[in-house]
Amino acid sequence: MNILVTRPSPAGEELVSRLRAQGKVAWSLPLIEFSPGRELSALPDLLASLSPDDLLFALSQHAVSHAAATLRQQHFAWPQVQAFAIGRTTALALHTASGLTVNYPRDREISEVLLQLPELQNVAGKRAVLLRGNGGRELIGETLAKRGASVTFCECYQRNDKYYDGTEEAYRWQQRGVDTLVVTSGEMLKRLFTLIPPWYQTNWLLRCRLIVVSERLATLARELGWLDITVADNADNDALLRVLQ
């Protein structure tokens, strides 16, 4: 098994080094990189408008790290509110940055399971601020709004495509015998598919085993033409390692 990990830095490199420590052949090819979001400057005022009954959502670790850096620079304290995160790793990041108790879905780190939390069933009249990247997690905002909350997204970071020569990369990874791909978002899956030229899609890419982190991603992969798809039980590196063992 020769593994190509498409996660962004630093999570991608961390997974590769853990795989190599177990004697596995693995490489990193981060498909996206991060830069500060366009709405960070509005964040302190946004958070200042929240009362203790209101809701704060962290939808990725990157949203937390960029938000925390901005608040530190402006000497602004996190508000005392009800805090939620998309999963365990993001919850830990938010708790570490803010000191808040953070609720998160215990079994599957996806929007649908987060929205099932008992604390989110009666949110009418509450304000909800969602920390995220440029787009994504629309379902959470739409559902909270349907339940009567006043929803504001804050773009804390942007995801940018890293530039690669598709033919060059396809040749390199096929030559190295890569037969297993790790992809952790729909955006990256589409990016990988469009990056690789059609001949290599047919003769290499779609023949690889694909490790993804949700059923939604597995459905997208099937639509693109993959047949051998495994869904990890979570999006963190621990869960990905369990599958790759």
Side-chain angles (χ1 to χ4, degrees):
M1 180 164 56
N2 292 356
I3 306 159
L4 187 63
V5 176
T6 65
R7 290 204 96 152
S9 303
E13 281 89 347
E14 188 219 3
L15 180 56
V16 166
S17 65
R18 289 174 70 180
L19 286 164
R20 287 177 175 171
Q22 294 177 0
K24 298 201 173 359
V25 180
W27 291 279
S28 174
L29 181 75
L31 292 174
I32 57 175
E33 54 195 353
F34 302 107
S35 58
R38 291 167 295 192
E39 294 165 1
L40 276 174
S41 59
L43 183 61
D45 288 345
L46 207 50
L47 295 182
S49 71
L50 298 179
S51 65
D53 278 345
D54 290 332
L55 315 170
L56 176 66
F57 291 82
L59 303 184
S60 80
Q61 295 172 68
H62 302 288
V64 174
S65 60
H66 280 90
T70 294
L71 298 183
R72 272 196 308 273
Q73 281 162 5
Q74 304 201 14
H75 306 292
F76 186 92
W78 290 85
Q80 294 304 304
V81 289
Q82 293 188 66
F84 299 86
I86 192 66
R88 184 177 67 89
T89 313
T90 305
L92 184 60
L94 181 58
H95 172 71
T96 304
S98 67
L100 295 168
T101 300
V102 185
N103 289 302
Y104 64 95
R106 294 302 201 266
D107 47 352
R108 302 273 308 153
E109 302 189 353
I110 54 174
S111 303
E112 291 84 349
V113 181
L114 173 65
L115 288 162
Q116 287 167 15
L117 291 176
E119 299 87 347
L120 295 179
Q121 303 316 302
N122 302 305
V123 296
K126 297 186 177 189
R127 301 183 71 146
V129 171
L130 287 74
L131 309 179
R132 67 167 179 179
N134 46 330
R137 304 288 180 193
E138 307 295 340
L139 178 68
I140 296 173
E142 287 164 10
T143 306
L144 292 171
K146 275 188 198 137
R147 292 176 186 173
S150 165
V151 174
T152 309
F153 283 105
C154 181
E155 181 195 283
C156 296
Y157 69 97
Q158 289 190 5
R159 296 179 296 273
N160 311 299
D161 286 348
K162 281 184 72 105
Y163 175 75
Y164 294 104
D165 180 310
T167 306
E168 213 172 272
E169 294 302 322
Y171 177 76
R172 182 206 318 266
W173 302 118
Q174 189 192 36
Q175 289 297 304
R176 288 186 175 178
V178 165
D179 55 12
T180 305
L181 307 166
V182 176
V183 182
T184 53
S185 78
E187 185 182 10
M188 286 189 275
L189 188 62
K190 288 177 193 159
R191 167 94 175 108
L192 178 63
F193 185 77
T194 53
L195 177 68
I196 303 302
W199 187 89
Y200 283 104
Q201 286 176 2
T202 308
N203 292 285
W204 168 66
L205 189 71
L206 294 173
R207 294 182 180 182
C208 289
R209 178 189 181 204
L210 185 65
I211 313 293
V212 296
V213 296
S214 70
E215 290 300 338
R216 198 165 29 191
L217 209 44
T219 301
L220 173 61
R222 277 190 287 273
E223 285 166 5
L224 290 170
W226 268 279
L227 298 172
D228 187 357
I229 305 163
T230 304
V231 182
D233 59 19
N234 247 322
D236 60 29
N237 281 347
D238 291 343
L240 291 167
L241 268 178
R242 285 195 292 276
V243 170
L244 291 163
Q245 280 161 359

